[in-house]
Structure formats: structure tokens, C-alpha cells
Amino acid sequence: AQSVTQLDSHVSVSEGTPVLLRCNYSSSYSPSLFWYVQHPNKGLQLLLKYTSAATLVKGINGFEAEFKKSETSFHLTKPSAHMSDAAEYFCVVSGNTGFQKLVFGTGTRLLVSP
Amino acid sequence: EAGVTQFPSHSVIEKGQTVTLRCDPISGHDNLYWYRRVMGKEIKFLLHFVKESKQDESGMPNNRFLAERTGGTYSTLKVQPAELEDSGVYFCASSQDPGEGITQYFGPGTRLLVL
């Protein structure tokens, strides 16, 4: 079965410093991986996705993630944090039942201080 | 283009009552999904419709939950009778096509509190 592990429940950064949110996945085949973000009282928004094309994926708002098969990782990064990046971030893998089912990590809450 | 909409945004009910959640997918999206996040847990899949048919309902927790999608448009999720452990956020998502790597677009969620 597919699964993802988000290694940090909370990450705190200062505005203007780099962001690293860590995600490891488990899959019996080459998966599709996603990062979604949820701002307070908002819905889930897709940041980026990997679907076996380029291993470095660029998303919205300056975020990017690199698929590393050897490390089974899909970490999310951003060179410089902005106050508006404060939100909860979810690493997600497609399920193996017809691929439609999404399997979510437990989420990482990003706190950005001035 | 309107996104996925959900109604109500919040619902507070007492244990034993019935609640019906509604989801309107993006126009033209045949695939509709329900997920939920109970307090302190991860978001979990409940079920998947293709048009009006249930494609996968493996995540439905028990028979107190009934999902319908009449005419293949909007969907409802009824909880009857509601229990305390049903409290959480219920998300709906839709996609144009099924399959691996297809983006699912999520609604804002319905926050359900059972007292």
C-alpha cells in the first residue's frame, strides 16, 4: 500500500530564510506525488505534482520539490519564506487502487516569523 | 470558472441527529471524491464517484454514512445518526479524468462538530 511520512509536524522559519518541508514515501511502483497547501479557513490548494516526468518539479508561489527515488523522498523547498506562506502543507501520494485515491501525510504546519 | 463548493461551511449538531453535507464539483468533472479529517489525524479518503456511480467506497467508515450523486452532478453525504467521533472536516474534490497523476481540486470543506 502507498503511504507518505511527513517528518516534521511543525517547522518555524524567519521571513526571508529558506523553507524545507520533508516527505518520504512508500510505494510498490513509481508513484505520483503531490504537495497541497491549506491556509487557515481555506480549502486545499495544489502546489505542485510529480508524475514521472522531470524529477525537479516547480510549483506555484516559488515552491519546488525534487523526486529522489534512491531516497524515497519528495521534499518541498522554497528559497525565501514569505509571511503569506504560513499554512499547513500536505504531502500526498496516489493510492494503488485505480490510482484515484489520494493518501495524505499527517501535515506540516509552517510558521513564519517577521 | 467556479471551483468546488461545499455547503454548509460549518455544522454543529447533537449526537444522534442527522446531518447532510453537499458538494458541487467543478462543472464537467465526472469524478467526485469525499475525504475527511478527524481531529489530530490525517486526511482520509472516503469514496469516489464516477458520474452517478460509486467507483470506490472502501473508505466509508460504517453504514451510518450514505453518499449519493443523483444525476451525476452534485453529491450529498448524509450521516445518520451522528456520533461524537464523526466530528471533523469533510472535504470534497473533483477531477475531469480519473487516473494516476490527475489533479483533484478540493473544496473548502465542511467543519462538522457533533456534541
Side-chain angles (χ1 to χ4, degrees):
Chain A
Q2 319 293 89
S3 67
V4 288
T5 302
Q6 292 185 245
L7 299 162
D8 305 293
S9 59
H10 292 79
V11 170
S12 294
V13 300
S14 298
E15 191 173 23
T17 64
V19 175
L20 170 64
L21 304 184
R22 298 182 294 165
C23 173
N24 287 103
Y25 70 90
S26 173
S27 175
S28 56
Y29 68 103
S30 185
S32 290
L33 291 158
F34 309 77
W35 277 97
Y36 279 85
V37 60
Q38 184 180 21
H39 288 91
N41 299 315
K42 301 286 187 181
L44 293 159
Q45 180 184 21
L46 179 69
L47 273 179
L48 51 81
K49 68 178 181 181
Y50 165 77
T51 56
S52 73
T55 56
L56 182 62
V57 182
K58 293 188 184 299
I60 61 172
N61 300 334
F63 284 94
E64 63 182 37
E66 187 172 7
F67 175 75
K68 292 187 176 180
K69 187 175 181 179
S70 60
E71 299 177 9
T72 62
S73 70
F74 189 59
H75 301 335
L76 182 70
T77 61
K78 183 174 180 178
S80 176
H82 191 272
M83 295 295 291
S84 61
D85 294 328
E88 191 164 18
Y89 292 78
F90 297 93
C91 184
V92 183
V93 64
S94 285
N96 62 357
T97 307
F99 309 120
Q100 296 94 338
K101 180 190 306 185
L102 298 182
V103 177
F104 284 75
T106 50
T108 298
R109 192 167 295 278
L110 177 65
L111 307 171
V112 183
S113 56
Chain B
E1 177 182 282
V4 177
T5 58
Q6 293 186 244
F7 182 83
S9 59
H10 295 77
S11 181
V12 181
I13 62 172
E14 293 188 351
K15 176 183 173 182
Q17 290 185 323
T18 297
V19 62
T20 300
L21 314 180
R22 173 170 170 147
C23 169
D24 286 80
I26 293 172
S27 178
H29 283 193
D30 287 339
N31 295 274
L32 187 149
Y33 314 82
W34 284 98
Y35 294 82
R36 77 170 179 176
R37 188 182 196 189
V38 296
M39 190 72 71
K41 301 284 189 179
E42 66 270 31
I43 298 170
K44 286 193 172 180
F45 169 84
L46 295 178
L47 87 161
H48 170 210
F49 283 100
V50 178
K51 297 185 180 179
E52 67 276 6
S53 299
K54 293 176 185 174
Q55 180 75 15
D56 179 356
E57 51 183 329
S58 60
M60 294 287 266
N62 52 61
N63 60 11
R64 294 186 295 102
F65 289 77
L66 175 64
E68 295 179 320
R69 193 180 181 195
T70 307
T73 54
Y74 70 91
S75 174
T76 58
L77 180 64
K78 180 190 287 187
V79 185
Q80 179 182 30
E83 298 289 345
L84 300 179
E85 64 265 25
D86 300 332
S87 296
V89 183
Y90 290 76
F91 293 101
C92 176
S94 71
S95 69
Q96 192 163 22
D97 299 302
E100 186 177 8
I102 299 298
T103 298
Q104 295 182 21
Y105 296 89
F106 282 78
T110 293
R111 285 150 183 80
L112 174 63
L113 179 60
V114 183
L115 300 175

